[in-house]
Amino acid sequence: AVVSTQSTGAKESIVGTNQIKNSVQRSIRSKLIQTYPNIEEYISDILPKKVNLKVVKCQDHIELISTDTEPLFFKKRDGPFYPTLRLLHMYPNMLPKVQVDKGAIKFVLSGAHIMCPGLTSPGAQLPEDCLPSDTPVSVHAEGKENALAIGHMKMSSDDIKSINKGIGIDNVHYLNDGLWRIDL
């Protein structure tokens, strides 16, 4: 359930916009807290109860949860909601962090998935505790403060360390992709 965000970016990619009912907002809020436990203390700031939220439907079955001006979360089809990078930069502890080495930066910023060697080489970092596969993560670059991508663990962090081959993390959203540039 990887989200291809290359096609979102222009107004032409937006298929429709609908206001979200309060009952649905509550449901989304509880799903987000369940998926991202670290978000609970910020959820009132991120999704205030008095703000009208919208669901913006885009091409390629991508849905955005947004305010009038800012996309906050996105998903593809029935996949999980992911925070946008702009939101992640405001609340950096929302997702577990992984770090790629300097050599992987240009590939990640062009939308490539993250290979295991880019996560295990000197300069890269995986958390001490094992992250299971299917975990959303924020992808940071060696020597940089903010996340450059949001990824979806394709294998556990222990498997990434031991196998050290193939794709370790699917790149679902990265700096300057269509979702980063979208204009609501």
Side-chain angles (χ1 to χ4, degrees):
V2 177
V3 176
S4 168
T5 51
Q6 276 101 12
S7 65
T8 48
K11 289 253 190 219
E12 299 86 53
S13 66
I14 296 174
V15 178
T17 304
N18 295 319
Q19 189 125 349
I20 302 175
K21 294 180 189 173
N22 284 336
S23 58
V24 176
Q25 282 187 36
R26 283 193 296 275
S27 167
I28 290 170
R29 184 179 270 123
S30 64
K31 271 186 204 163
L32 290 171
I33 291 170
Q34 186 180 353
T35 308
Y36 307 111
N38 295 346
I39 203 176
E40 190 162 10
E41 61 186 283
Y42 313 114
I43 197 73
S44 303
D45 298 331
I46 297 169
L47 299 175
K49 291 182 179 175
K50 299 290 182 198
V51 170
N52 291 329
L53 294 178
K54 296 178 180 176
V55 66
V56 179
K57 295 186 183 213
C58 300
Q59 293 173 350
D60 300 328
H61 304 281
I62 295 173
E63 284 186 10
L64 310 174
I65 301 294
S66 74
T67 61
D68 285 333
T69 57
E70 188 74 28
L72 302 171
F73 295 91
F74 67 96
K75 72 174 184 168
K76 181 159 187 172
R77 296 187 195 252
D78 295 328
F81 278 109
Y82 295 96
T84 62
L85 271 169
R86 292 183 194 279
L87 184 63
L88 184 65
H89 289 169
M90 290 167 43
Y91 301 97
N93 296 324
M94 189 183 303
L95 298 175
K97 292 179 184 172
V98 299
Q99 181 175 298
V100 295
D101 61 18
K102 286 182 179 172
I105 296 172
K106 68 181 175 188
F107 297 106
V108 174
L109 290 177
S110 64
H113 297 308
I114 298 142
M115 307 303 282
C116 293
L119 294 162
T120 57
S121 63
Q125 278 184 320
L126 286 167
E128 294 285 322
D129 299 331
C130 179
L131 286 175
S133 62
D134 281 340
T135 303
V137 292
S138 69
V139 180
H140 292 254
E142 179 182 2
K144 304 293 179 196
E145 183 181 336
N146 288 322
L148 74 148
I150 293 175
H152 191 90
M153 299 285 287
K154 206 168 161 125
M155 56 175 84
S156 74
S157 57
D158 285 351
D159 285 347
I160 289 172
K161 292 173 192 171
S162 63
I163 297 170
N164 204 20
K165 264 191 212 154
I167 298 171
I169 298 174
D170 285 329
N171 186 348
V172 295
H173 173 32
Y174 54 94
L175 286 175
N176 214 23
D177 67 2
L179 182 55
W180 176 264
R181 294 187 321 261
I182 196 163
D183 183 23
L184 296 179

